[in-house]
Amino acid sequence: METECQNRLPSQPSYAQSIPKLSSRVLISMIQDAEHPKAIELLSMVNALPVSKVLTNIQWEAGVIDPVVSDALHSTSVGSHLAICGDERFIWACWSVASQAGWLNDEMTLLKTEDVRNLYCVHCGHIQAISTQTEAECQSCQVQLFVRDHFSQRLGAYMGVCLDANQPYGGEVK
Amino acid sequence: MMRSMIEVEVTKVKQITDVIREFTLSPMTGSLPGFSSGSHIQLHLPTSVRVLKKAYSLLSDPADTSSYRIAVRLQEHSKGGSRFMHERLSEGDHLHITPPANLFAPNSFARHHLMIAGGIGITPFLSYLAEFQRQSKSYELHYAYRGGVTDAYVTDLRQAFSAKLHTYDSNLEQRLDLDQLLSNQPVGTHVYVCGPERLRLAVQEAATKNAWSPSRIHWEAFAGAEPGQAFQVELARLNKTLEVSADESLLEALEASGVEIPNLCRGGVCGQCVTTYLEGEVEHRDAFLSQADQSQQLMPCVSRGRCGSRLVLDL
Amino acid sequence: MSVVFNPIESYRDDFTFRNTSKAIKRFPFPFPEDQYMYSVNIEPALKGEAGSVFEHWFDIDEHYLSEVAERAKVLEKDPDRCLVMPHMECAAWDSLALLMTHLARDYPEWFELYQSGDQWVWVNHALNLRQAFTYGDSETLPCEPLEYITRQVQGDFAILDQRDNNLWMDAGMVTGPADWSIKFDAGMNFTQWHAPVPMAHKMGVFDRALKYLMNIQVDRPVRRLNWTMTVNPRLDTSSETYHEWGHERSLVTPDNVAQMVHLRVELQFLARLPRSHALMFSIRTYLIRLDELATQPEWACRLHRVLRELPDELADYKGLSQYRAMVVDWLKSYDPAERPCCAE
């Protein structure tokens, strides 16, 4: 754990290891997969709070979120807490909507379930889903990318940059 | 002089209430530096004893740099600053001021701005209102005062911003219920407080109770050093001993003896005047240093040596 | 003495960019010592000597027309290199006002500004432009205000919002960066966008710098120099185009090193924007070819020692590792090994 922290880039996202004790009166939970152990743990806490709203089966894709969720994020008052539980793509799609609505990072708990994340190709701007690998081919411009730890919360994605400038497209002639 | 000063002329003095006066400061030529909402300037006041440095919020519209306006409340236990402003300063006088600095800017990301003013603490919000109005921001102002005494600008505000203004006159026993107010603010609200220390503490208490994130709470804190007890301070490297009287700050005492320390807010928030001390017990009154830092550093603009303890500074 | 512009030179393809001897003499050589290490080397941006790059807040030099043309080319292909988030609109106007005011005052032969309330007229003789507009009303300009003015100025600009005890890169015009991407880094705070810089975080450099920068006052700007090296006089060494220029690092040979490798110096300048309380961070880039630099032998001597002693981690980060040895080798003849260099 210690070594992991020392080598971590200051732009890398950090996820909660467990659900913190909350003093807020309202908890909104956005859950990607209600069957996941972390989601089950989160749901077990929910009843302990005076007011809570659980949103599951959320329809989302690249920046477009279920209007029901968006309404829930906008219509609450300061002092509420938001728990987002899902893979990294889900987390940052929700984060973006919450952030636009005025939520702050210290009002959110991010619980990561699966290793699915977004990769941003810095050469063409395309965003694609990847897993834990450190190399990938851009599906849009075909440049062979190295996956850096440098992360943009705004884009919800890690930076992909040309792996070998001498062979941007991998040995093929383009 | 540490920072280049601007010479201005007092072109208008206006009595706003029994205890509050407004001063218009105009440049000798051209216009004054631009400023943002919430900015303050330091005035250097040539009193008979010494040059007093006092920070005041700019209350004029940031779009207008032809002059600056400030308002000063006469403090009952004035150390000379507000008394000098009220009794000695008149139209046609010249003064030196610092360029504007801002330690109380509105949060540009806020979805709603909640302003809470107590008495003369209304001043920075007058510059907020001008910009909020122009930029069509969402805002509301809660203004507590004593009618006829500290109700500065209330008539103007009622005319211009009636729908967004909530007033509380202590003479009429009107009470601002902070708990109620902070329990029901839309997500994305930032709250700004300016006024007496007890108002800020009350807002913080209500915010904590309602689980507000500390980064949503902003306050202006250059009320100046509260009076304390007299104490002695040694300057280790200069090999000097100074007496700090009950009615002056450590920073003022240092400046009076010719020791210039960089400073900006003179109210314990900006961190510019941080000084290392080597020995002694300190009454820390700043809102800048961490507890760990306070074991070695102090902010002479607000903090003092404890009476009877020997304070030694690394100066 | 008024600035004279070179005919348009290119920063790509045939690379016709060159410095005149006048430009070489005023080049901001960045090394005060024989070794280089990170430090918070920020100083008040006091007015420098007449003719020097420090004379004015925004330096306009002989490459003005070329840089303006290069920026237009980058934007044509990639318009998002200029980006202004909605809450930065006031800061964008503030930037326009600051740039216009200073350019008109410092280079009256090229730029003029007439203001009557919010009715402004801007004249740029160098580009033969005349624009009447209403300050604060974007509809009266041909494009967004930050883009409008920075298309007419040399150097990149990041506009930083100050909130939550940090600085946020929420607007900018960045068409000639040293291996970073405004499109990726936009919206990050000071700590986040510096994340890829090795070593400096542990040294606490950024924490100290951040505190200092947040205290910058109106009319009290600060500056610092930063440096790296670039193969060919390419201004747009952005991450976006790395797959197009990165391979040039492996084209350096002992025979072409002095013509191909350039020292790249950034004059970074930070000024408080008065009305919005945002910070303007301008990055003015100067390029000098190794053989141009060696016309000042004391610079060649010092650069030799700096590059020889540079920690590998920094050389990697700056992208010099592939050709550093060749540069050091070429510079060796300028270094009278035993004596200290006498560069300023």
Side-chain angles (χ1 to χ4, degrees), chain A:
Chain A
M1 194 67 202
E2 191 63 12
T3 26
E4 194 185 301
C5 285
Q6 276 170 4
N7 294 329
R8 121 177 263 115
L9 283 191
S11 59
Q12 242 174 304
S14 63
Y15 300 100
Q17 294 304 306
S18 58
I19 298 153
K21 282 223 162 64
L22 297 170
S23 58
S24 55
R25 288 174 298 187
V26 180
L27 174 70
I28 299 179
S29 305
M30 298 172 74
I31 295 170
Q32 184 180 25
D33 169 15
E35 308 293 307
H36 193 278
K38 277 194 180 144
I40 293 168
E41 192 193 345
L42 176 62
L43 288 167
S44 74
M45 276 191 58
V46 159
N47 297 330
L49 287 151
V51 186
S52 69
K53 202 177 274 177
V54 178
L55 302 157
T56 50
N57 298 321
I58 294 165
Q59 300 297 306
W60 66 282
E61 206 42 67
V64 189
I65 284 252
D66 205 326
V68 177
V69 174
S70 185
D71 285 352
L73 289 176
H74 278 92
S75 60
T76 184
S77 56
V78 176
S80 309
H81 196 86
L82 176 63
I84 307 176
C85 180
D87 65 34
E88 285 196 73
R89 296 180 70 222
F90 177 82
I91 286 176
W92 293 101
C94 296
W95 181 93
S96 170
V97 180
S99 184
Q100 286 301 314
W103 290 77
L104 302 177
N105 283 338
D106 58 5
E107 295 164 337
M108 296 187 235
T109 297
L110 311 181
L111 295 159
K112 186 177 101 169
T113 54
E114 308 297 329
D115 284 321
V116 183
R117 55 187 183 150
N118 274 332
L119 175 66
Y120 171 88
C121 171
V122 78
H123 309 299
C124 73
H126 180 71
I127 291 180
Q128 67 194 62
I130 58 163
S131 180
T132 54
Q133 73 262 40
T134 55
E135 293 175 18
E137 179 182 294
C138 174
Q139 291 163 350
S140 174
C141 70
Q142 278 79 49
V143 170
Q144 299 295 312
L145 300 173
F146 171 68
V147 183
R148 296 176 64 185
D149 289 335
H150 196 30
F151 182 81
S152 161
Q153 299 187 340
R154 181 179 64 97
L155 300 168
Y158 292 83
M159 184 173 181
V161 66
C162 175
L163 176 68
D164 178 356
N166 291 322
Q167 289 190 315
Y169 302 97
E172 301 159 45
V173 182
K174 285 266 164 182

Side-chain angles (χ1 to χ4, degrees), chain B residues 58-78:
Chain B
L58 296 176
L59 59 87
S60 33
D61 182 346
D64 175 14
T65 54
S66 63
S67 64
Y68 292 154
R69 282 186 296 137
I70 58 169
V72 181
R73 179 189 172 167
L74 179 63
Q75 302 292 339
E76 274 175 49
H77 306 289
S78 172

